[in-house]
Amino acid sequence: MGRIQAAYLMPHPPIILKEVGKGEEKKIQKTIAGMKKVALEIKEKKPGAIVVITPHGPLFRDAVAISVEPEMQGNMGKFGAKEVRFTKDNHLELTNKILQFAKARNIFCAQVNKDFVHEYHVSSELDHGTMVPLYFIDEAYIHYKLVHITYGLLPREDLYKLGKAIQEAVEGLEEDVIVIASGDLSHKLSQEAPAGYHPSGRIFDEKILKLLEEGAVKDILSMESCLTEEAGECALRSIDIMLGTCDGYNITPKVLSYEGPFGVGYGVVAIEIGDTNLERQYMEEIYHNRDEKIRQIRETEDPYVTLARAALEYYVAHKKVMDLPKDLPTEILQEKAGVFVSLKKHGELRGCIGTIEPTTAHIADEIIRNAIQAGANDPRFYPVEEDELEEIIYSVDILKAPEAINSLDELDVRKYGVIVSSGRKSGLLLPNLENVDTVEEQVRIALQKAGIKANEGYNLQRFEVERHK
């Protein structure tokens, strides 16, 4: 019976390759040493297959992408080193078993082949998130077949469950397997970082490496989304799947290296997988904790949020607008205001629609109308389906009258929302949003939503909200 021998977190900066870095790679010698150590460990283990989980293949909101082509190729031409090229045989037996077990666990997997590439206009070539780790592995060991997985923007619990499906698939093989979680840590460690600076970058990197070295799986899966978003990382979802492949086993993790000389955190972590340990089976507990969190939120939601939830749930079930419930607060039936209703599913935005000024008889109707619009007609998302309703968290913002301002100095991202307008074009951004930390960013997003160029003349307004959760 096959087994997963070890799992590794490996970064993927193209500049680490001498053919790309042309001397700059000398600034990340700790990472190079860590990657080479991983390669030597893999050589000693002699796996028949290596599963690489990458952020940079075909990425989907609602699915994981798995390559099913018999042969996979790629080169580093995007980074000025076309001569660095790879051709890998797909371990189709393992790939097909993963698809089978993922389906049994209700994880949707897009099967990437030539027809899929043509239909969805994605690339089937190996991405740098895969090629950079393989560059070092291949220097030491080449006698393996590859399984190529691009994580999806699924709930993190579902990614962990995919890891469990990979583990189950491996158990049906005659060969042993290595798992590689490809990903860089925070992209916001310094002012020179390509994504800019955020103080949460360093906090995230220190926390994730500490928790990995402790083997604290549940703590990693419960990390606050605001921290991970502010850090600007691309490794966490790869890590989630990797940890799922270790579910139910003793693990011995070790941080081999960490540095961030270009404002991006590069961590190399090795996880040796030992004997089975039923006390480390976390799947049911992880889903229970998620459901319990939603239950607690439901118990404490106020009447504004209850109304929004009831409106969408009734509409999805009956395809018509519900009647006004009895015993609503007096002010919700007597006052008028613009209202925004926001939907989130497992920490990710699932819909948001609102009105700057009132369009109905009172706030209650405004909430009902915009809750339905957010769930059924937000053009950024497909309509909410009935089986999602139990997982959606709602918030309702009641807008106060906007006031004109003359400069960004009169804004505060925590206190005020912003409206930008030019002619018939206008855009709005609510206050106190995750991952919006400066007024410049707030205005930039509002301009983008409005379709107004930054060098156009435009008017600014600010407004306060009464937020209900």
Side-chain angles (χ1 to χ4, degrees):
M1 184 175 75
R3 63 184 295 270
I4 298 174
Q5 299 167 293
Y8 298 93
L9 171 64
M10 299 180 76
H12 51 240
I15 201 171
I16 201 172
L17 311 188
K18 62 181 182 294
E19 293 87 350
V20 176
K22 301 186 186 308
E24 289 295 294
E25 74 279 1
K26 295 176 181 177
K27 297 178 181 178
I28 43 176
Q29 287 301 306
K30 289 181 181 178
T31 305
I32 290 173
M35 302 279 264
K36 289 184 174 182
K37 182 171 177 55
V38 169
L40 290 175
E41 289 187 10
I42 292 174
K43 178 183 179 181
E44 291 178 3
K45 296 178 186 300
K46 297 181 172 58
I50 294 179
V51 177
V52 176
I53 304 150
T54 174
H56 297 303
L59 184 66
F60 299 99
R61 183 178 296 277
D62 58 348
V64 171
I66 302 183
S67 178
V68 295
E69 286 291 333
E71 185 180 84
M72 296 168 280
Q73 298 180 344
N75 65 72
M76 295 296 289
K78 289 182 180 179
F79 306 96
K82 195 172 183 178
E83 71 277 12
V84 180
R85 56 181 66 248
F86 298 83
T87 299
K88 294 295 176 184
D89 289 332
N90 194 333
H91 198 300
L92 289 174
E93 181 185 1
L94 179 54
T95 294
N96 289 326
K97 286 182 179 293
I98 291 171
L99 291 168
Q100 173 189 339
F101 281 99
K103 183 178 181 179
R105 290 187 173 273
N106 296 315
I107 303 295
F108 181 67
C109 296
Q111 300 182 42
V112 181
N113 56 22
K114 291 177 181 177
D115 292 338
F116 187 92
V117 166
H118 179 74
E119 181 175 355
Y120 290 95
H121 307 290
V122 296
S123 174
S124 62
E125 291 192 352
L126 294 175
D127 59 285
H128 74 276
T130 301
M131 291 186 287
V132 171
L134 294 187
Y135 178 93
F136 289 93
I137 293 169
D138 284 5
E139 287 183 337
Y141 182 74
I142 59 172
H143 304 295
Y144 64 89
K145 292 182 179 180
L146 181 67
V147 175
H148 182 269
I149 299 175
T150 305
Y151 65 57
L153 302 181
L154 303 176
R156 294 182 57 211
E157 297 89 349
D158 289 353
L159 295 176
Y160 186 88
K161 184 164 64 172
L162 173 66
K164 185 68 175 179
I166 294 171
Q167 178 194 102
E168 292 168 331
V170 170
E171 290 171 355
L173 295 180
E174 297 297 325
E175 303 165 285
D176 291 334
V177 175
I178 294 292
V179 173
I180 305 295
S182 175
D184 298 336
L185 302 182
S186 174
H187 292 59
K188 299 183 178 182
L189 296 180
S190 70
Q191 298 292 348
E192 295 74 32
Y197 171 73
H198 197 287
S200 293
R202 184 67 61 183
I203 295 170
F204 170 81
D205 283 11
E206 291 175 356
K207 185 172 184 178
I208 189 67
L209 290 174
K210 179 176 182 291
L211 293 176
L212 279 171
E213 193 146 50
E214 293 172 352
V217 172
K218 291 181 288 185
D219 291 336
I220 292 172
L221 288 166
S222 63
M223 288 180 73
E224 295 182 359
S225 61
C226 59
L227 173 63
T228 62
E229 289 172 7
E230 289 169 353
E233 52 72 40
C234 69
L236 192 58
R237 292 174 183 274
S238 294
I239 291 170
D240 293 338
I241 298 172
M242 175 183 72
L243 293 176
T245 69
C246 308
D247 186 72
Y249 284 84
N250 289 317
I251 58 174
T252 306
K254 184 178 181 180
V255 176
L256 301 181
S257 67
Y258 173 76
E259 59 188 335
F262 306 115
V264 180
Y266 306 131
V268 181
V269 179
I271 300 177
E272 283 290 327
I273 300 177
D275 297 330
T276 56
N277 182 347
L278 297 181
E279 293 183 359
R280 292 190 63 84
Q281 289 184 338
Y282 299 129
M283 183 81 66
E284 290 186 11
E285 184 178 352
I286 288 166
Y287 279 95
H288 171 77
N289 291 344
R290 185 180 79 179
D291 294 343
E292 180 64 17
K293 182 179 180 181
I294 293 173
R295 186 189 65 79
Q296 292 175 0
I297 290 172
R298 295 277 193 262
E299 287 182 350
T300 59
E301 66 186 15
D302 73 9
Y304 291 72
V305 174
T306 299
L307 179 60
R309 179 165 62 84
L312 181 58
E313 290 178 349
Y314 188 90
Y315 181 82
V316 171
H318 303 285
K319 296 298 182 285
K320 63 180 182 179
V321 179
M322 72 178 193
D323 296 331
L324 276 175
K326 297 178 181 179
D327 302 323
L328 289 172
T330 302
E331 72 274 9
I332 207 171
L333 295 169
Q334 293 182 347
E335 298 176 6
K336 293 184 177 185
V339 170
F340 270 74
V341 177
S342 302
L343 317 177
K344 282 194 170 184
K345 181 180 175 182
H346 308 310
E348 301 290 337
L349 187 67
R350 186 63 181 85
C352 180
I353 293 288
T355 46
I356 298 174
E357 297 179 347
T359 61
T360 62
H362 43 61
I363 288 174
D365 276 346
E366 208 81 24
I367 291 173
I368 291 172
R369 177 186 181 278
N370 291 338
I372 292 170
Q373 291 295 313
N377 293 312
D378 187 327
R380 296 169 293 180
F381 304 95
Y382 57 84
V384 170
E385 298 179 355
E386 192 166 2
D387 62 0
E388 297 180 84
L389 291 171
E390 292 184 356
E391 302 172 328
I392 290 178
I393 302 300
Y394 300 74
S395 64
V396 176
D397 287 298
I398 310 300
L399 275 62
K400 299 182 180 180
E403 57 182 354
I405 58 174
N406 297 314
S407 75
L408 301 188
D409 294 336
E410 299 176 75
L411 288 172
D412 179 327
V413 292
R414 300 299 170 214
K415 183 177 181 180
Y416 297 113
V418 65
I419 301 171
V420 297
S421 59
S422 177
R424 295 184 178 181
K425 296 184 290 186
S426 66
L428 176 148
L429 200 68
L430 296 169
N432 199 24
L433 297 178
E434 290 181 3
N435 220 27
V436 180
D437 303 301
T438 66
V439 296
E440 291 81 8
E441 180 73 359
Q442 186 184 40
V443 171
R444 184 190 68 78
I445 296 171
L447 288 171
Q448 186 179 53
K449 292 175 71 174
I452 299 172
K453 295 180 180 179
N455 58 2
E456 287 184 44
Y458 57 87
N459 298 314
L460 282 170
Q461 292 176 289
R462 70 181 186 185
F463 62 92
E464 295 184 69
V465 302
E466 178 185 301
R467 181 158 292 169
H468 298 263
K469 294 184 176 181

